[in-house]
Amino acid sequence: MKKKERRSQGWFGKTGKDGLIYRSWFRKQGIPTHELTGSKPIIGICNTWSELTPCNSHFRELAEFVKKGILEAGGYPVEFPVMSLGETVMKPTAMLYRNLASMDTEESIRANPLDGVVLLCGCDKTTPSLVMGAASVNLPTIVVSGGPMLTGRYRGAEISTSDIWRFSEDSRSGKISQEDLYVAESGLCRSDGHCGVMGTASTMACMVESLGLSLPGNAAIPAPDTGRKILAHMSGMEIVKMVENDLKLSDILTREAFENAIMVNAAIGGSTNFVIHLLAIAGRMGVELDLEDFDKYSAGIPLLANLQPSGKYFMEDFYYAGGLPPVIRQLKDKLHNGALTVTGQSIGKNNEKFENYNKEVIAAIDEPFNPLSGIVVLKGNLCETGSIIKPSAASPELMKHTGKAVVFEDIDDYKNKIDDPDLDIDENSIMVLKNVGPRGYPGMPEVGNMGLPPKVLAKGIKDMVRISDGRMSGTGFGTVILHATPEAAEGGNFAVVQTGDEIELDVEARKLNLLVSDEELTKRKAAWKKPASPTERGYVSLYVKTVEQANLGADLDFLKGNSGSEVTKDSH
């Protein structure tokens, strides 16, 4: 049987003018011809290092260990940059640019002489954007996450990024000063790595591991730990094997893999952002996945990981307890254990021998940390096509609640009113924030876990029901209903809810209803006016015109599916 020609040889194996150009400019970097025209696969290292993305600040060094693994296994590494999304500094929100970064990734991979790809990602949106882009090309691909930071310290206490919300409320209620906040910030982020809790970045690292896109153990190794470098080296070796075996993303990202990821996410108390990113990845692969699947496959999966924000401990503790593999092992009676992974082995085989070293951090499945887990999908006339809530991070006493709405028309309206002592609001009210969805903001920011009004905080109240068409940081918590669709900017019922309307929430019954008559809602919608587009040029204009709703993954409609890896035309 004739061996399939390497994709890279469509560039470097050419004779005449085209081969001369492709090879000679690579030789300019000190790469001899035999490295390009022999049997070695060319492996791209897609790097999201940037000084504007602090979570990924150590990726230059990490890439060197990936290169060592590729070279040892007989491949040739070439590193290249793609757009990096710094969650903590980008305005108006990094989510606005997730799809743009995915386009950069997709076209960079397709347009270049690569046989396989290593995705080096960590900060929240860098992981889904890279996986989305790579999925639309469908080459052999492996993910190396950057790892979580070490647990922070504040005056003798352990802290991490979930404590930001606690510090904020304490500051707003006058319990701590600005000087206290300066002390906290000096100890909050004390090493390389992304958020040290089960926020979105750690959830994304767990997502790729549960999908089978990374080596076992990838998710939890702290960024400064030498184990992270060793995993990078081993991943470099593994991608060469994947190319040799032609093991592509389409072989791994099956319907069963997506169902596995949903079940694992439930067991770890993963971020609500998991929903919107997994839907987008499935859309790129052409795998049918809908919002109800997150409720369906979460059901019956208890919370095993006692990690903030749903629990007590930190990602560093999770690593010492064994990381994600013992969680996957405990779910063996629930998962599709035969689902293929980057190792060429099944997910069940990969994780069959890993032990749990701390049952305080990772509970046993027959004695779970919390029977409530996963993502619950709510529907009703307030969110006709769905909204979501994370029960493990909510207050049990608020899971069934009826209250009067206090409506904020947009984020500026919220900021102008929330600290006003005359605001007509109490702990029984339901806070509603409009126009923070994909099109309305634009970009769907993480503002859904609105800070409570000082007059309520002064009573010692720490949670209220909050509803928005936006998102919430994976580090956040509370009885927060997110991703309400259609979003307010689309003119559904959510667009016309008014202060004083009664809203009924019943999480167990999966209901979220506005207690207003159909006749009144029809009247209000007839008078509603669509907000003006924020701009008529550039990427933001393209985004607003083509972005899909949150219940579909908020991808751009023309990016659904994939275009493969073939490029037939030469450049000269």
Side-chain angles (χ1 to χ4, degrees):
M1 182 177 176
K2 185 179 179 182
K3 194 170 183 178
K4 184 179 177 182
E5 184 181 74
R6 301 247 185 255
R7 181 174 181 270
S8 58
Q9 294 312 295
W11 282 258
F12 300 129
K14 283 184 172 290
T15 56
K17 175 195 68 180
D18 292 323
L20 171 66
I21 292 172
Y22 294 136
R23 289 188 301 273
S24 60
W25 260 263
F26 252 64
R27 282 175 61 90
K28 177 179 176 290
Q29 302 177 95
I31 304 172
T33 300
H34 73 268
E35 295 277 25
L36 304 174
T37 58
S39 61
K40 290 184 178 182
I42 307 297
I43 307 296
I45 302 173
C46 183
N47 198 340
T48 51
W49 173 88
S50 170
E51 290 182 341
L52 292 170
T53 308
C55 300
N56 300 7
S57 60
H58 57 301
F59 280 14
R60 278 179 165 173
E61 181 185 26
L62 200 58
E64 294 304 314
F65 289 89
V66 176
K67 291 177 184 177
K68 289 178 182 179
I70 293 169
L71 290 167
E72 181 182 344
Y76 195 87
V78 287
E79 183 181 351
F80 64 98
V82 292
M83 185 180 188
S84 188
L85 306 177
E87 191 69 29
T88 56
V89 297
M90 293 189 82
K91 291 184 178 184
T93 170
M95 183 63 181
L96 178 63
Y97 304 106
R98 182 200 67 176
N99 301 336
L100 179 60
S102 80
M103 294 169 72
D104 184 0
T105 303
E106 174 181 348
E107 302 305 338
S108 293
I109 293 172
R110 180 182 296 114
N112 283 292
L114 305 175
D115 300 306
V117 186
V118 180
L119 305 179
L120 206 54
C121 43
C123 192
D124 294 17
K125 307 302 178 297
T126 60
T127 300
S129 64
L130 265 59
V131 174
M132 289 162 65
S136 291
V137 186
N138 195 29
L139 291 179
T141 303
I142 194 169
V143 179
V144 176
S145 300
M149 65 179 73
L150 299 178
T151 306
R153 293 291 188 275
Y154 172 72
R155 292 175 172 163
E158 293 185 328
I159 61 169
S160 194
T161 38
S162 287
D163 291 289
I164 289 171
W165 314 111
R166 299 183 182 96
F167 287 133
S168 174
E169 299 294 58
D170 285 349
S171 173
R172 294 176 63 244
S173 61
K175 292 181 180 179
I176 62 174
S177 67
Q178 181 59 47
E179 289 301 316
D180 294 320
L181 292 181
Y182 287 140
V183 174
E185 75 181 48
S186 67
L188 188 67
C189 303
R190 54 181 283 260
S191 79
D192 286 333
H194 57 245
C195 293
V197 298
M198 189 52 74
T200 302
S202 291
T203 299
M204 292 295 95
C206 290
M207 177 190 74
V208 294
E209 187 171 337
S210 61
L211 283 170
L213 296 182
S214 72
L215 294 180
N218 168 74
I221 305 171
D225 195 289
T226 55
R228 177 60 57 187
K229 297 172 182 176
I230 291 169
L231 182 132
H233 183 117
M234 300 302 291
S235 299
M237 296 181 67
E238 201 65 50
I239 188 61
V240 176
K241 295 178 189 175
M242 291 177 70
V243 171
E244 295 290 347
N245 295 319
D246 197 27
L247 179 57
K248 300 186 293 293
L249 283 176
S250 57
D251 300 313
I252 297 168
L253 290 178
T254 62
R255 168 74 189 199
E256 290 73 20
F258 286 97
E259 292 174 7
N260 283 346
I262 294 171
M263 289 185 271
V264 172
N265 188 68
I268 61 172
S271 166
T272 50
N273 290 301
F274 168 83
V275 176
I276 206 165
H277 298 318
L278 196 73
L279 284 167
I281 294 167
R284 296 296 184 97
M285 291 306 304
V287 171
E288 293 292 330
L289 196 70
D290 59 38
L291 200 58
E292 286 73 15
D293 287 323
F294 291 84
D295 202 333
K296 176 181 178 181
Y297 292 100
S298 292
I301 306 291
L303 182 61
L304 303 183
N306 182 4
L307 301 173
Q308 291 198 27
S310 296
K312 173 183 177 182
Y313 294 100
F314 303 90
M315 286 300 292
E316 186 178 354
D317 303 306
F318 188 48
Y319 171 59
Y320 300 144
L324 195 62
V327 175
I328 293 174
R329 183 182 180 186
Q330 287 200 75
L331 295 174
K332 63 183 179 180
D333 293 334
K334 308 278 188 181
L335 299 177
H336 302 287
N337 291 292
L340 192 63
T341 74
V342 292
T343 67
Q345 299 288 333
S346 69
I347 192 168
K349 185 72 173 176
N350 281 351
N351 295 283
E352 65 182 359
K353 294 182 180 179
F354 287 92
E355 296 183 34
N356 176 8
Y357 300 112
N358 189 334
K359 291 188 178 180
E360 282 289 314
V361 178
I362 304 173
I365 195 165
D366 54 354
E367 295 181 48
F369 166 64
N370 189 338
L372 295 175
S373 74
I375 303 296
V376 167
V377 177
L378 304 171
K379 286 192 174 180
N381 70 339
L382 188 57
C383 51
E384 300 100 304
T385 51
S387 61
I388 63 172
I389 186 171
K390 181 178 172 180
S392 63
S395 299
E397 68 274 12
L398 291 175
M399 301 282 270
K400 187 172 184 178
H401 181 78
T402 300
K404 288 188 176 181
V406 176
V407 176
F408 306 98
E409 291 297 326
D410 54 33
I411 193 63
D412 294 321
D413 189 35
Y414 164 78
K415 289 179 178 179
N416 290 335
K417 292 178 178 176
I418 194 62
D419 292 331
D420 186 347
D422 295 326
L423 180 65
D424 186 11
I425 191 170
D426 62 28
E427 61 270 27
N428 297 310
S429 303
I430 294 179
M431 298 169 65
V432 177
L433 177 59
K434 299 180 187 177
N435 292 300
V436 291
R439 291 181 176 171
Y441 197 71
M444 204 178 180
E446 295 180 336
V447 295
N449 57 325
M450 293 167 270
L452 306 189
K455 63 191 295 183
V456 172
L457 291 170
K459 298 179 182 180
I461 302 298
K462 296 183 177 180
D463 194 13
M464 291 172 62
V465 176
R466 288 158 277 179
I467 306 171
S468 79
D469 49 9
R471 298 180 301 115
M472 174 174 75
S473 168
T475 64
F477 47 87
T479 310
V480 183
I481 298 156
L482 304 155
H483 307 190
T485 56
E487 63 173 301
E490 289 296 283
N493 290 343
F494 193 75
V496 297
V497 60
Q498 297 178 0
T499 293
D501 290 345
E502 284 210 331
I503 295 174
E504 177 189 37
L505 167 66
D506 189 336
V507 174
E508 185 177 359
R510 274 45 178 178
K511 291 181 180 178
L512 182 63
N513 284 309
L514 181 62
L515 303 183
V516 174
S517 69
D518 291 342
E519 292 78 13
E520 175 63 18
L521 290 174
T522 299
K523 180 181 175 183
R524 291 182 189 180
K525 284 190 282 189
W528 177 83
K529 293 183 179 179
K530 190 176 182 67
S533 176
T535 182
E536 289 301 323
R537 73 163 300 276
Y539 171 72
V540 175
S541 176
L542 177 68
Y543 178 93
V544 171
K545 290 173 182 174
T546 63
V547 69
E548 296 186 322
Q549 289 293 284
N551 63 306
L552 300 175
D555 202 356
L556 305 187
D557 56 17
F558 63 89
L559 292 176
K560 298 290 277 288
N562 61 78
S563 301
S565 64
E566 187 176 3
V567 183
T568 58
K569 295 181 179 179
D570 288 299
S571 57
H572 291 84

